[in-house]
Amino acid sequence: MNFDYSDEQKALKDQARRFLSDVSPLAVARKVLEAPSPGFDATLWTRIGEQGWCGAAIPEAYGGFEFGHVELCALAEELGRALAPVPFASSVYQFSEALLHAGSEAQKLNLLPGIASGERIGTLAFSEGPGVLSAGRISTRYSNGALTGTKLPVTDGGIAHHGIVLALGDAGPDLFLVDFSGNGVTRQAVSTIDPTRGAASITFQNTPAEPLGSAGKGSGSGLEQLRRIHDRTAILLAFEQVGGADRVLEMARDYALERYAFGRQIGSYQAIKHKLADIFVKNEVARANAYYGAWALASNAPELPVAAAAARVAASEAYWFACRENIQTHGGIGFTWEADCHLFYRRARHLGLVIGAQRDWKRRLADRLVRRVAQENAQRSEA
Amino acid sequence: MNFDYSDEQKALKDQARRFLSDVSPLAVARKVLEAPSPGFDATLWTRIGEQGWCGAAIPEAYGGFEFGHVELCALAEELGRALAPVPFASSVYQFSEALLHAGSEAQKLNLLPGIASGERIGTLAFSEGPGVLSAGRISTRYSNGALTGTKLPVTDGGIAHHGIVLALGDAGPDLFLVDFSGNGVTRQAVSTIDPTRGAASITFQNTPAEPLGSAGKGSGSGLEQLRRIHDRTAILLAFEQVGGADRVLEMARDYALERYAFGRQIGSYQAIKHKLADIFVKNEVARANAYYGAWALASNAPELPVAAAAARVAASEAYWFACRENIQTHGGIGFTWEADCHLFYRRARHLGLVIGAQRDWKRRLADRLVRRVAQENAQRSEA
Amino acid sequence: MNFEDSPEEARYRTTVRHWIADNAPDMSGLGAEQRRNWHPGHKEIARRWQATKADAGYACISWPKDRGGAGGTAIEEAIFNQEEVRAGVQFTYFMTGLHMLLPALLEHNQDALALNRVPPAVRGDEIWCQLFSEPASGSDSAGIRCTAVRDGDDWVISGQKVWNSGAHVADYGMLLARTDPGLPKHKGLTVFWLDMKTPGLEVRPIRVMSGESELNEVFLEEVRIPDSQRVGEVNDGWKVVISTLMNERAALGSGTGLSWRDMIALAGQTPSWEGSVMEDPAFREWLADYYVNVEAIRLLSFRTLTSLSKGEAPGPASSAGKLLWSNKTQEMTDQALDIQDHFGLLDGADLAVLDGAFQHRFLWSPGLRLGGGTDEIMKNIIAERILGLPGDIRVDKNVPFREIPHGR
Amino acid sequence: MNFEDSPEEARYRTTVRHWIADNAPDMSGLGAEQRRNWHPGHKEIARRWQATKADAGYACISWPKDRGGAGGTAIEEAIFNQEEVRAGVQFTYFMTGLHMLLPALLEHNQDALALNRVPPAVRGDEIWCQLFSEPASGSDSAGIRCTAVRDGDDWVISGQKVWNSGAHVADYGMLLARTDPGLPKHKGLTVFWLDMKTPGLEVRPIRVMSGESELNEVFLEEVRIPDSQRVGEVNDGWKVVISTLMNERAALGSGTGLSWRDMIALAGQTPSWEGSVMEDPAFREWLADYYVNVEAIRLLSFRTLTSLSKGEAPGPASSAGKLLWSNKTQEMTDQALDIQDHFGLLDGADLAVLDGAFQHRFLWSPGLRLGGGTDEIMKNIIAERILGLPGDIRVDKNVPFREIPHGR
């Protein structure tokens, strides 16, 4: 029983925090906000790549550095804290996890080394329009080795070298691997509520593609596969969210100590004290569920599906609440473009939507809880 | 445009408040709590009957006093404030409104005079088990002029002289008028979370009954009819809830001024100030929606269904929140049996469930809003 | 209880509805850009509409006729406002001047200098702005540091103001300055009015997080104005501030912006697991909660109308409506993004749902909870002025302003 | 991150699980009435189980052996507690004495008189209760008015205590009294221990709103006890109070009571418009929210365990778990009643769903938000002790106790 990072993990996390406070102050995110094209900071991305972080959970056999998944969670927490404007989430939590989980040996050997070094960027393209994803709402098609259709929005779609695309194949929805720099790919930057995380609309026109996985052909289970990949993404994103929420709480706390009203620090008023205590409690809930998710991810425990959905629901709520009430704590100044509050407010909502909204994940969680109880009951009646 | 009671209505309301503070102090409700049988205070009920309040919305032709429906709302607000342990809601907001809305001329002439004077008590019996009411879950049957089955819980079922019972007739669910003091009626008091509002389980065994309404036979629309009756009940109950919520806010405010902690009135702490402000805002929301409901009820406006559901949703939320946070404001003393806080806490939850729970009314409200928008759109495209 | 017009009200409404239909400016030719507040084209249309109203006696309906009003009732003014909203021709440029500042000015100064400012303001030829707030005086609105020092017949004003809505287009401003820092906070303040082109005064727009720049900072460096532009007594400026607030009327019927109807429309066109989001019971429960709260805002504005029609001043209860509106708007936009799912990220007018209206409002909603009194100030007002609870413990009471503790 | 036992922990767990299975009292013969806390039959079983544990070295696992403990680790004690809960044989009678009061007593007094009280307490033969709170000192826990006046070798104590859990069955109590009202609030207090049968002491049960009477008022009228029963120094009692709180351990693994699993069971058996409530998307969304919060309580208790296993004291962060547990329990019971609809009113064991367990918990839940520190105190602790925000402004600091303003 150990509800904490190990000493080595803590050392890694501390080192990551020092590194990021050096190379990724908020000015870097703001630079991307002010000039949204290409939607990330290339210098910062290079520096992060040099640290080997992109390969933290990739085995050495595929060019990775095999720190482990809990170590990746620790890095995610720091990247979230730093609000780093880089495609780490798309390339590592989504693309790399997808390959590790569902790629063929050849696909892993071929693509993971570039991802691990940070030289190549990958992402997932699944959405096409408003509302939750379902099989009936995918119109991108795959046949005879080629994709045709439009995906929108695709986070980091404008800069990714590779993508995994959800499309209708012969057997139904499946995931397909595509070289985004190849023929038949048209990319158009799109404006989103968080310009520090660039996104694109991508149109495929007879674009060469191959099914993800060793079977070499689709099985029609692309939606279920995507969900399993996103369970892993959800846990890693939860750490970004927890890191961001913690930093936002610190911002609010610092401002509450610094700002005076009626001759007193505003942090001496219970309205502010209890607001910040509420943020703290939600952050604790998010952290507890995220830690449990980290353990499930690293040990590939049967609890993973429940833990992942719980981590996501708790972290999305906590980060959004913290950002909202941080602006409120700051008062008028917190509403200005110059203040940093809105960078987090935007990012919180970006992270809360990028792999599906709260209503979707809450239902997944409820479904999985009901299934777990049914299993427990079945086991009990067997015994 | 007049968002207020008229001067005459205010005078009636003031007089009612003075009367009730005299004849129905909280000691009367507490007496019923401590000795729950028969579940009401008979002396108080007689006094209220003498005031003519039971016939406030009953036309003179049926023995009523025809004050009007807004006047009845004003009385309901005061009865709610006083936490009067009497069957007014069952007899007036349910039974009398049901007869007025759906009874035959003969039924009105026969029964309303007794209700108006308070000499007779009526109630509605519709539930049979846990969960929302639906046609498939009614097992009480009506055939050949007689009812058989069990209704549970029936508020004031132990003391009512007459009842309107939801049962399956030849055409489907319908409402039937029953003399509860007649043959084939077995009543058993049941324990509920609010002993100041007695309830019973009622078993019918070949009990003589007649369909409610002039047709003289059922049409299978009993559930829709019940819903229309309960729309009217909902508005009247909303005033009881608003009256109770206001009083509870006053209790909390008074205690916050009286109680000291750390050498200060606890009402000087923002945690308490803002909690009470939150109660105030919810009470205002409840009052606004209730007033709109009163107007719709009195003028039989097409807005009635939306206004009724909105009044109920807002008032149930406000009263429950106020009672919950009133105990919290009182601290330990508020949790004791001797303190009056729990009388309101119990009543708030009683009122919130007695004609169906929040989830049921919220969906009714949403359904009606969607329908209203569809009508508006249709009118616009016609024009 | 009556939520319909009285016969006289209905007659007045019919009259003004027809007049507005016949006279309202045609805005159909304007592009999306030109329809935005503070756009020169938009402002020019507003100015012309205000002049049209003034000519017909509809500019300041409840003002006495000798001040350029129509000598009408508050309820008539409210009905006219509602009909303007209905016709899509309500403009905010003149509200601060006509509803808050000029009435306070005229309450304290009735010299020719002041009276001359009235006709052009009523016609919309001159716009006024408020210069009260400062960086260090947010919720603590009397914590003013901008100083005015007497110099012969003049005052010399130096300091900084902030959150000045429309200052970049305003012709005149009303300013609050500290004239004696040795007195307690509320005691040493004085109010002045001044031409926004007075030398030494500089306006710098503030960009807010949703991108707009209609708020400003105003810097004053030895701005010299004559004593004749003082409003009220020296060191008695707080009384004038209170006058401006008393004249502030709840913006009746200004239920513009996204509403529950827009949420129903959005949900109806957004696909869900089965059918549209509108068919999702969880969304329906949310909608019901949202509706009862925003409907209460509409209904509570009728209470203000009822008070006005009885000649009573609207009370502090309007704080409840302010709290509800700002908090529920933020909650609604969050829900709107959530039901759009991943696609809710898009905010460009080209691709986003409803041209990104919900996304824009999402980024703008935090300001609602701050401007015009924060949530926390509103709750204090309710607790203290309605419920009679004690004020917060004040360490700055009866202390010379210069000795009150303060942060950066 | 590891949410499983280490190999040593797993071995210890297996050992104690077997031992408990072999030795736990058989409660199957008890009626519902006799299973209730404080019922004499229930209490007698608890006493015998405590003696059995003491004989086997499982009574106070982490205490040193010379005090009747097993000299084990905090984590072993926590594992044993979890296994007791799992086997349904955890009792609360001895917790106050063994986890809070006796450790503090022994920290300050190690004379024979005090040491003699240890063995019978460890075996469950003597029960202790806390006599700290008073009617006027709720959240303001040092606002003690009960006085102790020195009279020769004795102290004479008069006053009233309240919220004394188990005082009606306790053998000994630890009491906080004011020995110098001329000193500031925290300074003039002294702690004593005494036999609950001492003349002049009277216990009166308090009935709470859910019907139970396990809390009490204790009246003291010139209760005379020797100075040898003083704990710590005169006027230094607040230090002893802090000692008792430091010894209070978060009740690990005591996740008894209704949980999300019970809500799933209830929803699954409750009919809805279509199928059961469990199939209702709105309920499912609620369940997800509820789950992440109550699951966090469970997971956060592992953090306490982790701290204990490293020899660290659990910090103020346990306030978060307390806030979550009390608020979510109230919310859950409200939801349980709502999904039962009208039928949710029934609370009798004969007819109500699940014997009325949800209804009873509904009436009991308000107490959770008050006992052991109110919501408001918990949030202050988080804000001040974790986030480092300033304390509330204190008008009672450095003021003689007798001059502090107070209400009735």
Side-chain angles (χ1 to χ4, degrees), chain C residues 205-221:
Chain C
I206 297 170
R207 190 172 183 199
V208 298
M209 60 178 273
S210 51
E212 288 88 351
S213 302
E214 67 181 63
L215 298 174
N216 301 275
E217 291 179 293
V218 173
F219 294 85
L220 301 111
E221 213 183 312

Side-chain angles (χ1 to χ4, degrees), chain B residues 1-5 253 264-265 267 270 273-274 278 280 284 288-289 359 362-363 367 370 376, chain C residues 1-2 4 9 261 278 281 284-285 288-289 291-292 299 303 306 379-380 382 384 387 390 392-393:
Chain B
M1 190 70 66
N2 180 24
F3 182 92
D4 207 350
Y5 292 110
R253 192 259 325 266
R264 286 164 57 182
Q265 288 160 299
Q270 285 187 335
K273 288 168 72 168
H274 291 193
D278 288 341
F280 175 81
E284 286 291 281
N289 281 285
R359 65 195 282 269
K362 285 184 185 172
R363 296 193 201 191
D367 291 348
V370 171
E376 288 171 357
Chain C
M1 312 278 173
N2 188 358
E4 288 167 329
E9 289 160 5
R261 284 185 175 82
M278 198 57 246
R284 285 173 112 86
E285 282 204 8
D289 272 329
Y291 171 81
V292 301
L299 296 169
R303 179 172 60 193
T306 304
K379 290 186 186 180
N380 260 10
I382 291 171
E384 295 170 17
L387 302 178
D392 293 339
I393 289 193

